[in-house]
Amino acid sequence: MSAENDMIKLYSARILALAADMPHTTRLQNPTATAKKRAPLCGSTVTVDLKVENGIVTDYGQDVKACALGQAAAAVIGAAIVGQPISTIEKGRKELFDMLKNGGPVPAAPFDGLEVLEPAKDYKNRHASIMLAFDATLDALQAHQATG
């Protein structure tokens, strides 16, 4: 019963609300770059379209097929990413990884809403799904830099 209670706590009302109200769920027309990432363990996928001007994300679209945790991460990232420079996105990804894998602090603003996923650090099999939105975004940004 303890494991079941832990899972119920993990899927909090706040996580479920984020998953249900994800921003930027429409794919972009003529994006600067696109990338798709898949978590091999669970099969979750995130496809990201973005537009970049002068190193700043100016528009963002995402198609997320993931568990509630992956959806919640994508919701927080999607709500905060427009207007951010690449360096802030890279920092946010590193901080989320450190929070999940190394017990690091909650990511700094503008990605501080990811604190809702702090309880997931004990569920290593969920980490890849949680990281997908950042990983797809950074792949898209690298593709843009390679062609730009």
Side-chain angles (χ1 to χ4, degrees):
M1 186 82 171
S2 175
E4 186 177 322
N5 286 340
D6 289 346
M7 287 302 285
I8 290 168
K9 288 179 190 174
L10 179 62
Y11 287 96
S12 70
R14 187 162 166 226
I15 285 174
L16 296 175
L18 283 167
D21 193 27
M22 189 182 316
H24 300 287
T25 57
T26 302
R27 300 281 308 272
L28 299 182
Q29 296 291 325
N30 304 310
T32 303
T34 298
K36 181 177 183 176
K37 292 294 277 189
R38 181 179 177 276
L41 184 64
C42 65
S44 294
T45 61
V46 173
T47 304
V48 167
D49 298 321
L50 49 84
K51 292 186 180 182
V52 180
E53 293 179 25
N54 301 317
I56 304 289
V57 174
T58 59
D59 203 359
Y60 188 81
Q62 58 186 348
D63 180 30
V64 179
K65 307 284 191 251
C67 66
L69 299 173
Q71 290 177 40
V76 171
I77 293 163
I81 202 159
V82 174
Q84 298 305 319
I86 295 167
S87 61
T88 299
I89 298 163
E90 290 171 337
K91 179 179 178 232
R93 194 260 181 221
K94 179 186 179 309
E95 291 173 341
L96 177 59
F97 182 88
D98 287 343
M99 180 184 82
L100 292 173
K101 299 287 190 185
N102 305 319
V106 170
F111 301 112
D112 50 334
L114 292 167
E115 61 84 20
V116 71
L117 295 164
E118 194 170 22
K121 66 184 175 195
D122 296 330
Y123 298 89
K124 294 181 185 339
N125 61 337
R126 304 283 197 243
H127 292 181
S129 181
I130 292 168
M131 297 302 300
L132 281 177
F134 265 138
D135 290 344
T137 299
L138 290 174
D139 279 3
L141 288 167
Q142 287 176 352
H144 164 68
Q145 290 174 325
T147 62

